Amino acid sequence: EAGVNLVSFPIPMPWPKPGESENWAAVDAACREVIESNPNALLIPRIPMDPPAWWIQAHPDHAMKWDRPGQDRIPASVASPLYRQEAAARLSQLVSYLEKVWGEHVAGYHPCGQNTGEWFYEDTWLAALSDYSIVTTQAWREWLTKKYVTDEALQKAWGNKEVRLTTVDLPSPERRRSTPSGVLHRPQSEQDLIDLAEFQQDMMAECVCHFAKTVREASEGRKLVVFFYGYTFEFGAIRNGAPTSGHYALGKVLKSPDIDILCSPISYFDRGIGGSAPAMTVAESVMHAGKLWLFEDDTRTYLAKDSRFPGWIDGANTLAETQSLLMRNTAEVALRHFGTWWMDLGATGWFDDPELWKVMTQLRPMDEVMLRRGQPFNPDVAAIIDEKSIFHVAFGGDVVTRPLIYEVRRPLGRMGTAYGQYFLEDVLAGQMSAKMLVFLATWRLSKTEREQLRRATAGKLKVWCYAPGFLTYDEESTSAMKELTGFELREVPETVAWAEPTEKGRQLGLTEGFGVRQKIRPLL
């Protein structure tokens, strides 16, 4: 009745044992239930890509493995060629079936896998480290061989004459939890850990792109392809280090011609009443790349009782509060040109009230204007992250990346003007009209990139946040940082990274201290 006909809903993935036939009854029942409720419904089925338990038991070498026991659910390793091949075959068959039987009703397909179906490594938020499976070790050696080609090149890069491409193991859990240089891994002395971070991103991104291509081909290019991926800002809060998520190959995923929509929930940070409802990703860069960013709005409405799902604390307790949150979220979507769907996270009727859907009706005139205006969202302020710099974040690096990347969205959202979220590449390419550039994570820049950046940002206000240009391979850090920023910076002994305003600062309105109330290394 509110005119919302796109429907995202879960379906099962028929994955029979060898010799058995597919049973499509549950798939048909799910589609039929939606269409019987709304004959105009356009279906976007959410497809589980993790294999069944029998497959894991039959192929134990292809299952994810952690450095400590305790995992309740064991998915396949995304580095496994066998998993990718067989999962793609099942996906292709499912899409072909849906196209044949329900095709006129289907708008697109949404394959989901790994942690909560969102394509970050299972148990990313927990303490254990993955993936130590046999198949991942083999993929690691192949990845290193492709990058370095010879043992000599690998040995030089790692500063270790003992390593060989055919026998090199994944860095041990003890090595991965070590922080000899503080919160940022240094080139050469910790190149093995930097390489591991990049490898983890590549394995996840390759898997996502492989399944996207599968859907594109099986639907003969006629339907939308949707994926969760790219939580660039959200994973700044991970204790084991942001790269353990596998979400920092978004630049590669954006180059896939087979993906139309990337999505995530609204950030679980600062989403309550009076909050800014931040995006988890470099949303404006996603849009620049020709993809649609979509907010999964899983606001806990007043109808959700006794739930403890993510974001439950910042939910609504009354009808008026719920309407306020949904109005804010949907208005942001319209202004930034995102898509959205409302997600009944508990599957218990969180949105089962016609009064809530009046928000969609009220905003439709604005939505129609926004759709016609053909003008991109060009905010005055840009928050910028260099994806490859994240590869250097060490275990416990969240002491810096949580306030710097995750929590920074709170003050950005309250500064009195709009801000956007971008990759550094968009700045280097001169694709940004913002007047103020906030460089949140630009630790590893080549000389060429530093020169490009100076040219591309001439005349703009630049705010440099933490160690800009600090990580170099062949250059001296202080000269590289000065070349980039114009400031003379030097490393100081490990100390508490907290600043209090002087009396003069207080007179100018700086009433609160800022920083991190912990010792940080490196500190400049």
Side-chain angles (χ1 to χ4, degrees):
E1 291 174 1
V4 177
N5 293 318
L6 284 163
V7 183
S8 166
F9 66 108
I11 62 172
M13 164 76 92
W15 196 320
K17 294 179 179 179
E20 296 180 355
S21 300
E22 294 82 3
N23 184 342
W24 304 107
V27 172
D28 289 334
C31 295
R32 187 178 300 111
E33 182 175 357
V34 175
I35 293 169
E36 287 179 351
S37 299
N38 178 5
N40 296 319
L42 296 171
L43 311 181
I44 305 181
R46 190 178 298 212
I47 303 166
M49 295 301 299
D50 294 325
W54 69 258
W55 192 95
I56 294 293
Q57 293 170 1
H59 307 288
D61 291 348
H62 295 259
M64 279 185 70
K65 184 178 179 181
W66 288 261
D67 72 319
R68 55 186 65 175
Q71 274 60 40
D72 295 327
R73 196 182 76 88
I74 309 296
S77 168
V78 295
S80 166
L82 180 65
Y83 161 66
R84 294 184 190 183
Q85 176 186 348
E86 296 197 4
R90 299 265 59 86
L91 177 61
S92 180
Q93 194 161 11
L94 174 60
V95 170
S96 296
Y97 177 82
L98 288 166
E99 285 294 292
K100 179 180 178 181
V101 178
W102 301 99
E104 63 179 313
H105 296 283
V106 177
Y109 297 94
H110 186 182
C112 299
Q114 288 287 308
N115 201 109
T116 52
E118 294 171 84
W119 296 112
F120 57 94
Y121 286 105
E122 187 73 23
D123 290 344
T124 286
W125 291 103
L126 303 184
L129 293 171
S130 66
D131 171 14
Y132 284 96
S133 65
I134 292 175
V135 70
T136 300
T137 300
Q138 181 58 39
W140 167 240
R141 292 167 181 168
E142 293 172 0
W143 186 89
L144 288 172
T145 299
K146 185 176 180 180
K147 178 174 181 177
Y148 290 109
V149 182
T150 67
D151 289 339
E152 292 75 18
L154 175 66
Q155 293 163 2
K156 181 179 179 181
W158 285 15
N160 182 352
K161 294 183 178 180
E162 304 301 319
V163 292
R164 301 287 186 276
L165 290 169
T166 56
T167 59
V168 61
D169 284 325
L170 292 154
S172 69
E174 294 74 24
R175 171 69 170 164
R176 291 170 66 181
R177 291 190 176 93
S178 66
T179 57
S181 304
V183 299
L184 296 177
H185 293 312
R186 306 289 177 95
Q188 296 178 329
S189 63
E190 295 159 271
Q191 187 60 41
D192 58 330
L193 298 175
I194 300 166
D195 280 341
L196 175 64
E198 185 174 2
F199 164 77
Q200 288 182 304
Q201 317 317 304
D202 280 355
M203 292 302 101
M204 189 65 77
E206 285 177 8
C207 197
V208 165
C209 292
H210 179 63
F211 293 147
K213 183 176 176 59
T214 299
V215 173
R216 186 70 89 203
E217 292 176 349
S219 65
E220 297 181 355
R222 295 190 300 262
K223 301 300 169 67
L224 296 169
V225 182
V226 186
F227 274 87
F228 290 116
Y229 193 77
Y231 300 4
T232 314
F233 281 77
E234 198 74 4
F235 286 148
I238 294 174
R239 175 63 179 164
N240 283 338
T244 56
S245 65
H247 265 230
Y248 291 90
L250 177 56
K252 294 182 179 180
V253 170
L254 290 178
K255 291 182 173 64
S256 169
D258 302 312
I259 297 175
D260 303 296
I261 300 174
L262 290 169
C263 58
S264 79
I266 298 171
S267 175
Y268 293 114
F269 171 75
D270 199 35
R271 62 152 55 187
I273 296 291
S276 62
M280 289 189 177
T281 194
V282 285
E284 277 60 52
S285 286
V286 171
M287 306 290 274
H288 279 179
K291 314 297 184 188
L292 178 69
W293 185 256
L294 185 143
F295 263 2
E296 178 174 88
D297 189 343
D298 54 357
T299 293
R300 179 184 63 77
T301 73
Y302 82 102
L303 294 173
K305 306 300 183 184
D306 301 321
S307 75
R308 291 295 185 272
F309 291 99
W312 70 272
I313 293 177
D314 290 324
N317 298 315
T318 66
L319 171 61
E321 286 183 355
T322 305
Q323 290 171 319
S324 176
L325 289 175
L326 296 177
M327 177 69 77
R328 176 201 64 191
N329 299 345
T330 311
E332 179 183 354
V333 161
L335 291 166
R336 295 178 76 178
H337 296 295
F338 298 169
T340 188
W341 60 56
W342 290 358
M343 169 69 167
D344 180 1
L345 189 55
T348 56
W350 286 13
F351 294 89
D352 191 10
D353 182 349
E355 291 299 312
L356 298 182
W357 292 92
K358 288 182 179 179
V359 171
M360 286 289 188
T361 304
Q362 291 166 352
L363 289 177
R364 186 174 300 123
M366 181 177 74
D367 199 28
E368 291 173 353
V369 170
M370 295 298 180
L371 285 169
R372 289 195 303 269
R373 69 177 178 171
Q375 181 179 346
F377 174 66
N378 288 316
D380 284 340
V381 178
I384 298 156
I385 288 178
D386 170 45
E387 195 168 42
K388 68 180 180 303
S389 289
I390 302 296
F391 300 164
H392 294 258
V393 177
F395 172 81
D398 63 314
V399 67
V400 164
T401 58
R402 174 181 279 272
L404 182 66
I405 295 174
Y406 180 79
E407 294 177 353
V408 74
R409 295 169 298 176
R410 186 196 296 272
L412 284 171
R414 287 162 172 75
M415 65 187 303
T417 189
Y419 79 98
Q421 294 160 268
Y422 298 88
F423 271 149
L424 177 68
E425 284 79 358
D426 283 340
V427 185
L428 297 177
Q431 297 177 346
M432 191 163 304
S433 60
K435 301 172 185 176
M436 174 173 160
L437 309 176
V438 184
F439 292 96
L440 300 171
T442 51
W443 310 309
R444 174 187 160 187
L445 301 179
S446 67
K447 186 173 182 61
T448 299
E449 287 175 323
R450 295 197 301 270
E451 293 170 352
Q452 282 182 285
L453 198 51
R454 286 203 314 276
R455 290 195 299 268
T457 61
K460 293 181 181 291
L461 173 61
K462 296 179 279 290
V463 180
W464 299 103
C465 301
Y466 190 67
F470 175 73
L471 297 170
T472 63
Y473 284 85
D474 303 315
E475 303 169 85
E476 204 272 320
S477 291
T478 53
S479 60
M481 290 189 290
K482 183 176 182 180
E483 179 185 3
L484 177 64
T485 68
F487 290 99
E488 291 188 7
L489 301 169
R490 61 181 175 85
E491 195 167 353
V492 298
E494 186 175 17
T495 187
V496 175
W498 186 261
E500 285 288 344
T502 62
E503 183 57 38
K504 179 65 173 176
R506 292 183 184 280
Q507 293 172 11
L508 293 170
L510 299 173
T511 59
E512 298 180 3
F514 69 93
V516 177
R517 294 187 185 272
Q518 287 182 244
K519 290 184 176 181
I520 299 296
R521 184 164 56 98
L523 195 63
L524 304 162

